[in-house]
Structure formats: C-alpha cells, structure tokens
Amino acid sequence: MSDAIQHECGIALLRLKKPLQFYLDKYGTAFYALSKLHLLMEKQINRGQDGAGVANIKFDMEPGERYISRYRSIDSKPIQDIFTHIHSRFEEIAEQDPSKLKDVAYLKKNAGFTGELFLAHLRYGTFGRNSIENCHPFLRQNNWITRNLALAGNFNLTNVDELFDVLIEVGQHPKEMSDTVTVLEKIGHFLDEENDQMVSDLKALGFSKPDIYSKIAKNIDIEKILKRASSDWDGGYAMAGLFGHGDAFVLRDPSGIRPAFWYEDDEVCVVASERCVIQTAFRLTVDQVQELTPGSALIIKKSGEVSEVKINEPKEQKSCSFERIYFSRGNDYDIYKERKTLGKLVVNQVLKAVDYDLDNSVFSFIPNTAETSFYGMIKGLEDYLNDKKFKAIMDLGTKPTEEELKAIIYQRARIEKIAIKDAKLRTFITQDDARDDLVAHVYDITYGSVVRGKDNLVVIDDSIVRGTTLKQSILRILDRLEPLKIIVVSSAPQIRYPDCYGIDMAKLGDFVAFEAAIHLLKERGQTNIIEEVYRKCKEQEGLPKEQIKNYVKEIYKPFTAEEISVKIAELLTPPSIQAKVEIIYQTIENLHLACPENLGDWYFTGNYPTPGGNKVVNKAYINFIEGNNKRAY
C-alpha cells in the first residue's frame, strides 16, 4: 500500500556441460540453453524491470572467430527485446537454409549466443542513470583470452570510495566511481596479475607463448583471484563472472545478505538469485537446489568441474528478511511458509484492535503481494475461533440444542475482496487537488462488502515504508465504504533505517516511522536529542567505517513501538477521513520467529551486518538534518 520499493538486481548463470550436439539430439533444439535462460529471467522479473542483459562465451573457437556475445536493453520490455534481438539472427539463417539451425558447428561459427556459458542480469537501478552503460553484464576485454571478464551481480558496496582509492594506488585510471566499475576493475587487476605471474613462470620453464596461454586457461587460480579482489569489500553481493577461456564463478558476501542458489547435474550447472526459479526451469524438488554458502564462491571450470570454495571467512548469517517479506517470489517453499507465519503472528494485535469482535470485522488485503500473509492471518483467526468454539461447546453441557450448536459452529472470520487495482492512471493534471483526486482512484472498492457505521475493516499489507500511497489513495477509498474503524496491518515491522546493500531505501526522511519519531520528539520538548544525535554523527565524519556507531537509534529510544505506530496513523490519516484509523506493525520478535534462518533485520533494528552500514546511516542522518536530499552512499 505504500509507494513501491524496488530491488536492485537478479542474476542467472547457466553452463552447458555437454557439447551442443547432445542437446540437439536429446531435446530437438540447438537453443536449449537460450530457452532455459529466457525462463530463468522471466521468472525473476520481479527483481528488476529497468533493464536486462545477457552475455555468452563460446568454447574452443579459433583465433579470429568471435567467442564473446553480449546484448543489453533498457526497452520497456527488456527481456523480450533481448531475445527478439538474439533470435533475429536465427530467423535470418532459417530463411536462407533451415537445415543450418540443426548444424551446431555452423551456428557456433556464424551466430552469436550459441556458446556453452551464459550470464544474465535483471536490473533495477538504485543508483545512477537508467542507461545502457549502467546495464550488466559489464565487459573487460583483452586480446588475450584468459584476461577477458564479463561481470554481473546483485550487490551494493558501502566502501566504493576506499576501493576506488586502492585502484588509483595500483596505477589504474577508472572511468567512474561506481561499485560495478570498481568491482570489475578490482577483479580485473588481480586477473591480470595472475596471468602475468603464470606467463613469467611458464616462460622460465621454456614453454612457447601459445602453449603458455593454453596452460593458463587450464590452471588459472580463480580462488586466489577472488580472495585477493574481495578481501576488503563491504556490502551485500551475489557476484557472477565469466572468463573468456570458459571458467566462471558466483561469489556471495560473508553475511549472506544477497541470495544465490545453484544446481548441478551431468548436463548443466545453473545459478540464480531465487531457488524456486531453478526448480521451475528444470523441474526440480526443493532439496535438489542448494544455497551458496555465505563467503564462498561456486567455481565452474571450463573442464566442467564444479566446486564450492570458501573465499572469505563467513560471518553470522544475516540474509535480508525484508527481501523475503516483499521482493522474492512467493511460490518458494520457505518464503511462502514465512509469509504465512508473519500473517499468523500478527493476529493477537489485530484481535486487540477490533476488541475481539469478529462478528463486526471484515478482513482483506492490499496489494496482491500481501495475499500470502493474509492467508496466515486468517489461519490465525480460525485457530482463535476454534479454541473459542471448543470452550463454548464444552460450556453448553451434555444436551446442547441444534440452534445453540449452529450459533457456535457457524462463527467465522468475514473475508472480502475489498480493493481492486485498476490500470495505472497517468496524472497530467497540474492542480494538486485534482491530481490527488485522480491518484485516489487508482484502486476501486467493492461496495456493499462492509456494514456502514458498524463494521471494522482490517487490511493487511507487506510493509508500510513511506506511507504516501496509503495517505493519498488507500485510506480515502476504504473510507468510502464508511466503516467504523480502518485497521491497516503491516506484516513487516516499522522500517526505521536506510538500506545500503541493494534495496531502494537510502534516505531517512522517506520513512514514516522516522518522521513520526521526529514529530514526537518535537511535541514532547525533546529536540535536544535531535541536535545531540546530529553532533555525534558529525563528530564521526571522516572516521574509518569500523569505528562509526549508529547513534540514530537514540532518535527512537524514548518511545515504544506502539507510540510510534499511533503517531504514524495520525500522520497518514487525511483530514477528510470519517473512520478512526489504526496502524499495526509486526514486532521484531515475531519477525525472527517467522524467519529464523534469515535474521538480516537492519531496516527495523539498525543492527547492520557490516561496518559500512553504520557509515551509511550516519551520513543519512547528517543529510536529513542539513537538508541534503540525496543518497548516503
């Protein structure tokens, strides 16, 4: 119900482990890999719609023959645009001679994207312009095959400035200060060093130059390169790379902030940001897909050997819980279960809000992504009612009447489809009142679903971040049903702190929970806390990130979560609303119960898993006080 919050990226890596002829013979097509890659991308479109890209490496090509293909798109439908472009060449071949589509040798030599190793990326740009230059995969090209690198990732690093300075110190001249370029050049630097060292060692042993690069391709130490390149990275990342000679890797951050899953058999090795998309694409069970261990890399050699190798010492796993609440595909086995549990665990607060009056309360959800948590909430209400029914039946004694039993047994939670989202309305009108009225009609309501002036209306959402859409649209349309009370339930806790690991929540002033806390401090004559926190943050400017503390926590310290929720409801309730409005947030304790293996909760608690997080929240607060409406990283 709040303004859309978007996620940075999704990745998919696919390695064919058999010659192309094998897939043509078994599956009847030389484009088996492209078909699977297309599916992997479409099933992860939830992770980014700003742009997409695909890179491909062909094995064992002769000098002078193209062996790297790449195409990127920022079209309004980028995945469709990419595969239309790729298939256009195959359509040309089919027009000339359809039999050539069954000739794998011809295809490898004359058509792009017919290699054995693929890397795909879906982009949501949390930083920088939405241009082709910002789309992954990035290429670092060289005439020596073992020095070529294609890189794509789902990541954000908090210490790009430090890493940029390191590149300057080793003599590089990066074209821009972005984490993608910095990471590409950092890996590339140690790739070059590894090549140089191997060339020197093999020359001393008397090998010829062609033989030297053949041996480098077989024996280059990807583990060593990744250890040297990533040792000082601070952030969340699932990074994937292809080398020109055919090796590949996927590297995950030590805290497991960003997700990565993989599967291998004798035909393919595949990696994706979401487990369920691999299951769908290859018809697998949950237990067949593995999670990449935090701090480790999956290294896929050109020989076909696959190994998971520890690159950086793993830390306490802090996989992003907000990603699972909001972004990830809801058909994943664990995510579906977690979202239902989140809905169920908020039931006690809901019951209290409606004064346990289920006869006069209607339950629904907005938007559709909240449907799973809604099922969990209803299940919790059913459990409550069943316990209540059982006790009531026992109290009837040994000879209850039919009417008495019916009155008890037929009690149930009232479920309605309250809101329907229409096609997005474009607001050309410049007058604020008219534009707000148009925004308020993005959703429509089901009239007659609520008894006017008598029913409570309870609607559940995944999260309430900024609250703008809630204030401008949702509460207004719900009030048209004339309920006695509107209760908005967030299956996530209050979002209080900025993200710095790849989700578009970088400014403190955007969070209604932060706004509420600031209002409360001012109303209660505690503005000295606002000033004191600013002073402490300013004193930390310039300190190494490892020494910075999150003093922004002190903004929330004087208040209970319930007090902040009350103030949020007050801030988001339009003056014209007739119904009383209450907002309920999930508790931190229940979040941990619902997502016990995914404890990355810095949005809610301010407990960042890396030192760079404290650096970012420190800067975000300074920006807020100084009126700088910009990102803190």
Side-chain angles (χ1 to χ4, degrees):
M1 276 178 278
S2 298
D3 293 339
I5 300 296
Q6 294 177 285
H7 193 280
E8 189 174 1
C9 297
I11 58 171
L13 184 148
L14 178 60
R15 163 66 197 276
L16 298 180
K17 297 176 73 175
K18 303 280 190 182
L20 287 184
Q21 188 66 44
F22 170 87
Y23 304 93
L24 177 61
D25 294 341
K26 182 172 180 177
Y27 299 104
T29 176
F31 311 120
Y32 172 82
L34 281 171
S35 176
K36 293 297 186 184
L37 191 74
H38 193 175
L39 184 56
L40 289 167
M41 293 178 74
E42 288 286 2
K43 291 297 182 181
Q44 293 187 105
I45 199 168
N46 52 299
R47 305 186 73 84
Q49 300 88 43
D50 281 355
V54 173
N56 177 233
I57 303 288
K58 298 179 184 180
F59 293 174
D60 305 320
M61 302 302 288
E62 294 296 323
E65 295 178 341
R66 185 178 178 186
Y67 61 94
I68 300 178
S69 301
R70 178 185 64 162
Y71 189 75
R72 300 175 294 175
S73 175
I74 55 169
D75 187 83
S76 59
K77 296 180 179 178
I79 299 175
Q80 180 179 317
D81 181 51
I82 285 170
F83 285 92
T84 298
H85 169 81
I86 291 172
H87 285 288
S88 64
R89 174 57 181 148
F90 304 140
E91 290 167 2
E92 290 175 8
I93 294 172
E95 288 177 6
Q96 297 165 7
D97 184 354
S99 68
K100 295 294 187 185
L101 295 182
K102 301 288 187 179
D103 185 341
V104 295
Y106 177 86
L107 290 172
K108 280 193 71 172
K109 195 166 186 175
N110 294 279
F113 300 97
T114 52
E116 294 84 353
L117 184 57
F118 290 84
L119 177 59
H121 187 263
L122 298 127
R123 178 178 190 269
Y124 171 68
T126 62
F127 185 78
R129 296 171 299 148
N130 187 33
S131 66
I132 284 291
E133 287 74 22
N134 296 116
C135 274
H136 304 201
F138 277 43
L139 289 183
R140 193 176 191 268
Q141 294 182 287
N142 196 290
N143 269 352
W144 280 267
I145 193 169
T146 57
R147 296 174 186 254
N148 283 277
L149 173 63
L151 185 79
N154 169 20
F155 66 98
N156 194 72
L157 301 184
T158 69
N159 62 331
V160 176
D161 50 349
E162 298 172 9
L163 301 176
F164 186 85
D165 290 342
V166 170
L167 292 177
I168 302 301
E169 289 171 8
V170 299
Q172 288 196 20
H173 193 96
K175 63 180 181 180
E176 62 180 274
M177 188 189 286
S178 71
D179 53 3
T180 308
V181 170
T182 303
V183 165
L184 180 74
E185 294 303 330
K186 191 88 183 294
I187 296 174
H189 171 73
F190 290 109
L191 175 62
D192 287 343
E193 283 203 351
E194 180 70 6
N195 271 270
D196 291 342
Q197 184 62 54
M198 293 186 75
V199 167
S200 176
D201 292 345
L202 291 167
K203 265 186 180 178
L205 295 174
F207 287 97
S208 66
K209 288 185 178 178
D211 287 340
I212 284 174
Y213 277 94
S214 175
K215 286 195 169 290
I216 290 175
K218 288 182 180 179
N219 300 308
I220 191 166
D221 193 340
I222 306 301
E223 177 183 346
K224 178 182 174 184
I225 293 167
L226 294 178
K227 282 182 176 178
R228 298 181 72 192
S230 65
S231 61
D232 54 358
W233 293 353
D234 185 288
Y237 52 86
M239 201 88 62
L242 315 180
F243 297 99
H245 61 279
D247 286 355
F249 72 87
V250 179
L251 174 63
R252 194 177 182 199
D253 67 85
S255 299
I257 295 170
R258 298 272 73 92
F261 297 88
W262 65 282
Y263 166 76
E264 177 198 15
D265 60 25
D266 60 349
E267 293 184 10
V268 298
C269 181
V270 59
V271 186
S273 295
E274 304 215 27
R275 175 176 60 185
C276 57
V277 306
I278 300 177
Q279 289 181 246
T280 298
F282 293 91
R283 299 182 182 180
L284 303 172
T285 59
V286 169
D287 57 302
Q288 288 178 289
V289 183
Q290 300 183 58
E291 182 176 2
L292 181 57
T293 304
S296 293
L298 190 72
I299 296 177
I300 309 165
K301 297 295 290 181
K302 196 240 180 184
S303 64
E305 178 189 353
V306 177
S307 59
E308 189 178 283
V309 180
K310 184 170 75 172
I311 302 298
N312 296 297
E313 196 62 38
K315 301 176 181 178
E316 182 183 3
Q317 186 158 343
K318 294 289 184 178
S319 300
C320 172
S321 58
F322 190 64
E323 179 163 351
R324 303 176 74 82
I325 293 168
Y326 191 84
F327 299 110
S328 300
R329 288 179 64 84
N331 63 320
D332 181 87
Y333 175 82
D334 286 328
I335 290 169
Y336 180 74
K337 183 170 60 176
E338 289 167 10
R339 288 180 180 178
K340 280 185 67 177
T341 305
L342 285 166
K344 187 174 182 179
L345 290 175
V346 82
V347 163
N348 286 338
Q349 293 166 265
V350 170
L351 287 169
K352 185 178 178 182
V354 300
D355 198 24
Y356 299 87
D357 182 7
L358 297 187
D359 290 336
N360 297 300
S361 298
V362 174
F363 299 88
S364 193
F365 59 91
I366 312 175
N368 288 341
T369 53
E371 186 174 5
T372 304
S373 59
F374 172 74
Y375 291 149
M377 181 174 70
I378 297 304
K379 179 66 169 66
L381 291 170
E382 288 173 351
D383 290 346
Y384 164 78
L385 275 174
N386 286 338
D387 289 341
K388 183 180 176 183
K389 291 175 187 179
F390 178 79
K391 184 177 185 302
I393 290 172
M394 294 298 290
D395 289 343
L396 290 176
T398 57
K399 294 183 179 180
T401 66
E402 182 177 336
E403 290 74 19
E404 287 174 327
L405 284 174
K406 280 184 176 180
I408 295 170
I409 291 171
Y410 287 170
Q411 292 180 66
R412 59 176 54 86
R414 293 169 59 195
I415 302 168
E416 301 288 352
K417 179 71 173 177
I418 292 293
I420 304 156
K421 189 170 186 179
D422 289 327
K424 187 174 182 180
L425 298 173
R426 300 182 67 185
T427 53
F428 297 107
I429 302 168
T430 56
Q431 292 88 352
D432 287 343
D433 290 346
R435 184 172 60 247
D436 286 350
D437 185 61
L438 193 58
V439 169
H441 289 80
V442 170
Y443 284 89
D444 209 344
I445 49 172
T446 306
Y447 292 99
S449 54
V450 171
V451 178
R452 291 181 295 174
K454 185 177 181 182
D455 282 343
N456 302 304
L457 178 54
V458 182
V459 290
I460 191 167
D461 187 15
D462 314 283
S463 61
I464 303 167
V465 186
R466 301 183 181 109
T468 309
T469 305
L470 194 61
K471 182 173 185 176
Q472 293 182 349
S473 176
I474 301 297
L475 288 174
R476 293 183 185 185
I477 68 163
L478 296 180
D479 194 56
R480 295 207 299 268
L481 294 171
E482 300 183 43
L484 182 67
K485 187 176 184 182
I486 299 171
I487 300 160
V488 181
V489 183
S490 169
S491 68
Q494 295 168 3
I495 294 174
R496 300 180 170 192
Y497 303 93
D499 182 60
C500 53
Y501 305 121
I503 290 177
D504 184 24
M505 298 192 296
K507 303 171 188 174
L508 274 170
D510 286 344
F511 305 142
V512 69
F514 179 77
E515 183 185 357
I518 293 293
H519 272 270
L520 287 171
L521 288 171
K522 290 178 179 178
E523 289 171 4
R524 299 184 184 185
Q526 295 177 292
T527 55
N528 61 299
I529 294 176
I530 300 173
E531 296 160 1
E532 182 67 13
V533 171
Y534 175 65
R535 182 187 64 77
K536 290 178 179 179
C537 289
K538 287 294 285 186
E539 287 176 351
Q540 294 186 109
E541 276 192 306
L543 289 178
K545 61 183 181 300
E546 291 77 13
Q547 296 179 25
I548 295 176
K549 296 180 180 179
N550 182 0
Y551 287 114
V552 181
K553 290 182 178 182
E554 295 179 11
I555 294 295
Y556 300 98
K557 194 174 181 180
F559 314 113
T560 65
E562 289 74 19
E563 286 176 303
I564 292 175
S565 292
V566 169
K567 176 53 68 172
I568 289 171
E570 180 184 318
L571 291 172
L572 296 184
T573 302
S576 60
I577 292 293
Q578 297 300 310
K580 180 182 178 182
V581 175
E582 184 172 345
I583 294 180
I584 294 172
Y585 283 90
Q586 185 68 263
T587 67
I588 301 294
E589 294 75 18
N590 283 343
L591 171 70
H592 292 166
L593 285 174
C595 307
E597 305 300 323
N598 300 277
L599 300 176
D601 62 2
W602 55 91
Y603 315 88
F604 319 116
T605 65
N607 298 327
Y608 290 93
T610 76
N614 290 335
K615 175 183 174 183
V616 168
V617 71
N618 191 66
K619 182 63 177 174
Y621 189 77
I622 292 171
N623 285 344
F624 170 78
I625 295 296
E626 295 181 354
N628 296 322
N629 186 30
K630 60 184 183 181
R631 297 179 182 280
Y633 59 86

